[in-house]
Amino acid sequence: MPLVRLAEHAVFDDTDGAGVILDTHKGVYLTLNSTATLMLRAALHGDTVDDVVGRLREQIDATDQTLQSGLAKLTGQLRDRALLAATQEGPR
């Protein structure tokens, strides 16, 4: 099971390298920068924080602590906007 799952009403598109999440309930979208896009893509495919950080380490020049902190901040923002699946808490 992936570390995070988006809510059913959230549609993620990262076609151009910078991601966009459309909230179909509210009719609004959230634009992600390239780093947040990489983080979300990794979190959607990785099973644990360590797995996700390992994937990110290959793409982003940052310490593991910085990557974990950024991942927690991103998932917190998605959770605050009700864009994560109800059972998903994400990394803290």
Side-chain angles (χ1 to χ4, degrees):
M1 176 185 285
L3 185 61
V4 298
R5 264 186 325 120
L6 293 175
E8 289 186 23
H9 63 273
V11 179
F12 176 55
D13 179 21
D14 66 343
T15 306
D16 296 327
V20 174
I21 301 173
L22 172 63
D23 182 337
T24 61
H25 280 176
K26 296 178 182 175
V28 298
Y29 65 92
L30 174 67
T31 303
L32 304 175
N33 65 28
S34 58
T35 302
T37 300
L38 289 171
M39 287 186 165
L40 180 56
R41 190 181 310 135
L44 291 170
H45 294 97
D47 294 331
T48 65
V49 171
D50 288 339
D51 181 35
V52 172
V53 168
R55 292 170 186 253
L56 292 171
R57 193 181 310 119
E58 298 171 5
Q59 303 172 65
I60 301 171
D61 184 22
T63 66
D64 287 2
Q65 182 179 5
T66 298
L67 294 172
Q68 288 173 357
S69 175
L71 183 61
K73 182 176 178 180
L74 173 62
T75 56
Q77 291 171 344
L78 296 176
R79 185 176 38 257
D80 291 347
R81 289 177 171 84
L83 294 172
L84 293 182
T87 59
Q88 295 293 294
E89 285 297 314
R92 293 190 182 259

